Amino acid sequence: MLRFEELMMKFSISVSNSSRFAEIHPDIFYDQACLPLINHTYEVLEEFFETKNVVLVPNCTFGLKSVIEHLVREKGHKNLAQLTPVYGATQKLMDYYKSTGDIDKVLKITPGRGHNALLEEDPTVIVEALEDAYALQEFTVLFCDQVSSQTGRVLSLDPISKFCKENNIMLVVDGTQSCQLFFGKHKKQLQNVDFFVMSTHKWISNVKTCGVVVFKDLNSAPCPPAISFGWERNESNMQSIAKIRTSFQWLGMLDSYISHVLCVDTSA
């Protein structure tokens, strides 16, 4: 498999001029350069995350929308909770689905008390807050930022995923700030997360970005946030990773696909 730079050299074009090349020769760029490299990117991600259950989206916000669309409109979840603080776009996304009537309640759970509550990292205090909130109002989906972009709070995922498993709650984690989870023993925490969503620009330190969604259950996969050429109706109850990825294949515009290649494949 040729890498992005090698493919551009094959067609006598520099990486810096790849956008122009894609505009002039879109058929060559997408069919002979871009799509094969995205397939290779999936191979890299499978090895890195140790699972085939991975899809690419333009950014984290698209990824979270694809997850919430699946959970709310396909699976029928009505009561959602967020472990505050969460990323502002995530909160707005839940507010939107509540305004449309797809969601009944959005619970905001703040562990601890006082001015330092949003900085609380003690797993015991956090789980107690989750248990107290659940006792007052049951919820079936929990959203949290593993590292908060607002306060820098770092969550230990194992106690939270244990609580969710015991109460049959789907756990959705924004890992955009969570570079430390991708190395050593910390990566095991991801095995108990139902949906792990991230953008690449923070941990690659790149202005370009793409989104990655890792999901635990093949039969509970995120919905594509836009319907394009790759989508097909699933006539059976069986799902495959090939069908899921095909439904995500043509998402985004030109810049998104170049971002996928430059940010994920080239850096890996």
Side-chain angles (χ1 to χ4, degrees):
M1 173 68 70
L2 295 175
R3 297 186 67 82
F4 189 82
E5 295 90 339
E6 295 171 323
L7 283 162
M8 292 299 97
M9 289 175 62
K10 176 182 176 182
F11 299 113
S12 302
I13 193 77
S14 67
V15 173
S16 61
N17 292 326
S18 58
S19 294
R20 180 63 177 161
F21 176 78
E23 293 173 2
I24 297 174
H25 304 288
D27 53 340
I28 295 177
F29 178 79
Y30 282 109
D31 294 338
Q32 299 185 38
C34 189
L35 289 180
L37 278 168
I38 290 174
N39 291 333
H40 179 61
T41 299
Y42 274 125
E43 294 175 2
V44 174
L45 289 171
E46 288 174 14
E47 182 178 356
F48 187 75
F49 286 109
E50 299 176 352
T51 178
K52 289 183 177 293
N53 295 353
V54 181
V55 290
L56 289 168
V57 289
N59 57 43
C60 183
T61 300
F62 276 92
L64 284 165
K65 184 180 186 299
S66 71
V67 171
I68 198 170
E69 185 82 4
H70 165 69
L71 292 173
V72 171
R73 292 188 170 168
E74 288 192 342
K75 295 298 185 180
H77 291 275
K78 289 292 187 179
N79 293 339
L80 279 58
Q82 55 182 251
L83 188 58
T84 60
V86 296
Y87 189 55
T90 306
Q91 183 171 323
K92 289 291 186 180
L93 188 61
M94 285 187 272
D95 290 342
Y96 165 76
Y97 280 93
K98 188 173 186 297
S99 73
T100 61
D102 293 295
I103 295 173
D104 291 336
K105 294 182 181 296
V106 177
L107 308 177
K108 298 179 180 180
I109 303 171
T110 303
R113 295 183 177 87
H115 297 297
N116 296 325
L118 295 180
L119 301 172
E120 184 62 65
E121 295 183 351
D122 187 336
T124 301
V125 174
I126 291 171
V127 171
E128 286 179 355
L130 291 171
E131 290 173 341
D132 291 344
Y134 187 76
L136 293 173
Q137 173 62 65
E138 293 187 1
F139 52 91
T140 57
V141 182
L142 176 64
F143 288 78
C144 66
D145 292 0
Q146 198 273 326
V147 177
S148 171
S149 61
Q150 300 177 32
T151 65
R153 180 195 65 188
V154 180
L155 293 177
S156 177
L157 292 180
D158 283 341
I160 296 173
S161 62
K162 182 175 182 291
F163 163 81
C164 289
K165 183 177 181 180
E166 291 173 348
N167 293 283
N168 197 29
I169 296 169
M170 303 296 290
L171 178 58
V172 183
V173 176
D174 183 338
T176 298
Q177 311 280 351
S178 306
C179 184
Q180 84 286 354
L181 282 181
F182 305 136
F183 304 99
K185 62 181 181 181
H186 299 292
K187 193 186 294 188
K188 292 183 179 180
Q189 295 185 67
L190 302 182
Q191 295 176 358
N192 297 316
V193 174
D194 294 290
F195 297 92
F196 183 80
V197 189
M198 57 170 287
S199 286
T200 60
H201 64 289
K202 294 293 179 63
W203 55 278
I204 295 180
S205 298
N206 195 318
V207 294
K208 292 287 188 178
T209 188
C210 72
V212 178
V213 183
V214 184
F215 54 100
K216 184 162 60 173
D217 186 354
L218 190 65
N219 292 312
S220 186
C223 296
I227 301 302
S228 191
F229 298 104
W231 183 87
E232 290 183 3
R233 182 178 178 179
N234 187 14
E235 300 290 350
S236 68
N237 294 326
M238 300 299 294
Q239 190 62 276
S240 70
I241 190 61
K243 288 182 180 179
I244 294 169
R245 287 180 182 171
T246 299
S247 69
F248 281 77
Q249 189 173 46
W250 289 102
L251 286 184
M253 301 302 288
L254 172 66
D255 185 65
S256 297
Y257 276 94
I258 295 177
S259 298
H260 287 169
V261 175
L262 295 182
C263 283
V264 180
D265 183 74
T266 306
S267 65

